Amino acid sequence: MKEISVQELKENLDNKEDFQLIDVREDFEYEVSNLGGTNIPLGGVLIEADKISKDKPVVVMCRSGKRSAAAIMQLEQLGYTNLSNLHGGILAWAGEIDPELSVY
């Protein structure tokens, strides 16, 4: 499974690169803090897979990286090959990029 660091994600965002960010945390978690990605909770990833691009890079994130890894494994069964897991999730983002971000 491909992984991307929070530093790499920040560079992609800063450079306005063409990619999709999918946040697989629950709605209430997304409301506490998010990086502006599309919120598709893990339980709905297969149901809402049509919202996830196959034509450009996709970064999948969660709180720590475990649920996003599970989501990637499910999506790869559908033929996705363009997915990267955000290593450390939003906790790593708060720890390394934005210490002001609310985490739980």
Side-chain angles (χ1 to χ4, degrees):
M1 178 178 310
K2 290 183 283 188
E3 285 200 319
I4 183 173
S5 70
V6 291
Q7 290 87 3
E8 290 170 301
L9 176 59
K10 183 174 186 330
E11 286 175 21
N12 290 350
L13 291 167
D14 290 347
N15 295 334
K16 296 181 176 24
E17 293 191 24
D18 187 24
F19 73 99
Q20 186 178 27
L21 181 62
I22 301 293
D23 190 326
V24 297
R25 297 175 301 146
E26 296 300 317
D27 295 340
F28 71 91
E29 295 175 284
Y30 186 84
E31 288 171 19
V32 170
S33 57
N34 68 74
L35 304 181
T38 302
N39 185 215
I40 303 175
L42 178 58
V45 161
L46 292 179
I47 297 164
E48 298 191 62
D50 59 326
K51 294 181 180 176
I52 302 171
S53 178
K54 286 187 173 181
D55 303 330
K56 60 184 170 187
V58 176
V59 176
V60 185
M61 64 167 290
C62 65
R63 182 171 183 263
S64 67
K66 289 183 176 65
R67 281 179 280 176
S68 48
I72 288 173
M73 286 191 275
Q74 290 178 29
L75 290 165
E76 285 177 343
Q77 297 297 314
L78 297 179
Y80 282 83
T81 59
N82 58 326
L83 309 172
S84 295
N85 188 22
L86 181 62
H87 183 77
I90 198 132
L91 292 177
W93 183 274
E96 298 178 38
I97 306 294
D98 184 1
E100 304 289 312
L101 192 67
S102 296
V103 291
Y104 47 92

